Amino acid sequence: MTPKPLGEFGRIREFFAPLAGLGALGLTDDAALLDCPAGYRLVVTVDQLVEGVHFLAADPPDLVAKKLMRRNLSDLAAMGATPRHYLLTSALPASRNDDWVRRFAEGLAEDQHRFGLALLGGDSTSTPGPASLTLTAIGHVAAGKEIRRAGAKPDDRLWVTGTIGDAYLGLKALRGEFPDLASDHRAALIARYQLPEPRCMLGSMLIGIAHAMIDVSDGLLADLGHICETSGVAAVVELPLVPLSPAARVLAERDAAILPTLATGGDDYELLFAAPPELDEEIASLSQSLGLPVTQIGAIEAGEGFRLTDAAGKDVLIAAAGWRHF
């Protein structure tokens, strides 16, 4: 006998009430109560996942939940904030049944435990269209210590965490490209697309070090453009210095023309920041202590806009700097 569907409030009681934190009032009221430590500011960000745009229909529900949360945590990390709470809204078609929602909630539970935040509340509705999921993350940072996109200065060095281009390649792999790529490399690329790694710990440690910072969501160059615009500066990125994973290097060795595209692909969720050259050693020390690669890829200059250069210092032409929805 098929179990009776839980319905909206049954799903809340069964799957989401156990995720509620202090101030959420057990998800029994229309709103939550939120405290902020004295001397701190709240940092609030919101992001959305739409099926077919940000994730694929066949993606595991727990990984969809984690990607949704981690995209937001990456935004908090880019301002040096510590995660505290989140709100969740969902619009789900009938095909996303109770089992799908249960597995989705399990992914949230694992990540909120790992990253130290808890659910405050949200909303849910049905839709005849593709699934749409929105998460609002709330963190805090010492007042006046937040790291913004503005603040980069000429002669600052440009740094980026992790590796660039893997998520772009992972989506292509999921869609059937690179069929002869070694299975471990394919798995590594797909994992980077489905499960980004927000650099929360490093983000807060860069307070007082980074003059400006952003997370790489739309593409390395597109997001660098935001720093340049808001800081009123120019930048140069040396393509040979952009860090690549072993899997990406294999594909780049097959086709060097793919290299500029990796700097524009998006969904990396790494941190890109500008810092003065006298702090190079301090940044290298942070990288070593966290076991997280942090690579110097270029510099900030006077002027406006950005350039991508090759090994000979010549400008590399690109069709577009990154992802745009419209």
Side-chain angles (χ1 to χ4, degrees):
M1 185 175 180
T2 304
K4 183 179 178 180
L6 290 171
E8 177 186 2
F9 296 104
R11 287 180 175 184
I12 291 172
R13 288 191 300 271
E14 183 76 15
F15 303 133
F16 297 110
L19 306 182
L22 292 175
L25 308 176
L27 305 187
T28 58
D29 282 75
D30 288 332
L33 301 173
L34 190 60
D35 292 323
C36 183
Y40 283 78
R41 285 178 174 168
L42 293 180
V43 182
V44 183
T45 184
V46 63
D47 217 334
Q48 182 180 42
L49 290 186
V50 177
E51 181 183 330
V53 179
H54 304 99
F55 69 96
L56 303 180
D59 285 348
D62 59 327
L63 298 188
V64 174
K66 291 181 178 183
K67 184 171 186 176
L68 176 64
M69 181 174 288
R70 293 179 185 204
R71 284 161 57 103
N72 283 272
L73 294 181
S74 187
D75 284 337
L76 295 183
M79 294 193 79
T82 300
R84 293 287 306 277
H85 317 279
Y86 69 98
L87 296 155
L88 174 71
T89 66
S90 64
L92 299 177
S95 59
R96 303 307 186 185
N97 58 20
D98 289 345
D99 184 61
W100 193 94
V101 176
R102 175 185 59 78
R103 293 165 62 196
F104 178 85
E106 288 172 351
L108 291 177
E110 290 175 9
D111 261 13
Q112 71 173 51
H113 176 73
R114 176 181 174 185
F115 293 105
L117 69 170
L119 181 64
L120 283 181
D123 191 28
S124 59
T125 187
S126 61
T127 177
S132 178
L133 304 151
T134 302
L135 190 144
T136 299
I138 304 168
H140 68 226
V141 66
K145 299 297 184 181
E146 63 275 0
I147 307 172
R148 300 181 58 189
R149 297 177 181 183
K153 307 176 188 300
D155 297 326
D156 278 354
R157 301 298 186 253
L158 273 176
W159 299 79
V160 71
T161 61
T163 56
I164 295 298
D166 292 331
Y168 166 80
L169 296 173
L171 177 57
K172 285 183 169 294
L174 276 171
R175 289 175 168 166
E177 298 191 36
F178 321 127
D180 57 344
L181 186 65
S183 59
D184 58 333
H185 285 330
R186 283 179 59 81
L189 294 176
I190 290 171
R192 287 277 286 159
Y193 171 72
Q194 293 182 327
L195 194 63
E197 191 66 42
R199 307 305 185 182
C200 298
M201 187 172 295
L202 178 64
S204 61
M205 296 172 76
L206 287 172
I207 290 175
I209 295 175
H211 282 158
M213 186 156 61
I214 193 171
D215 75 319
V216 179
S217 56
D218 293 328
L220 176 70
L221 297 181
D223 290 310
L224 173 59
H226 296 317
I227 287 181
C228 291
E229 182 178 3
T230 55
S231 295
V233 296
V236 58
V237 170
E238 299 177 44
L239 184 57
L241 299 182
V242 174
L244 302 179
S245 68
R249 288 196 178 279
V250 167
L251 293 174
E253 287 169 2
R254 294 181 185 179
D255 180 12
I258 201 175
L259 280 170
T261 307
L262 300 183
T264 66
D267 262 5
D268 293 308
Y269 300 103
E270 298 291 352
L271 294 179
L272 173 66
F273 62 95
E278 60 267 25
L279 295 181
D280 283 1
E281 290 187 8
E282 190 165 348
I283 293 167
S285 178
L286 287 177
S287 172
Q288 184 175 13
S289 67
L290 294 176
L292 170 64
V294 185
T295 305
Q296 192 175 128
I297 60 170
I300 298 293
E301 303 175 331
E304 61 182 26
F306 57 83
R307 297 182 295 123
L308 182 66
T309 63
D310 62 17
K314 296 181 179 179
D315 288 355
V316 177
L317 298 179
I318 55 173
W323 169 260
R324 290 291 181 269
H325 285 279
F326 304 103

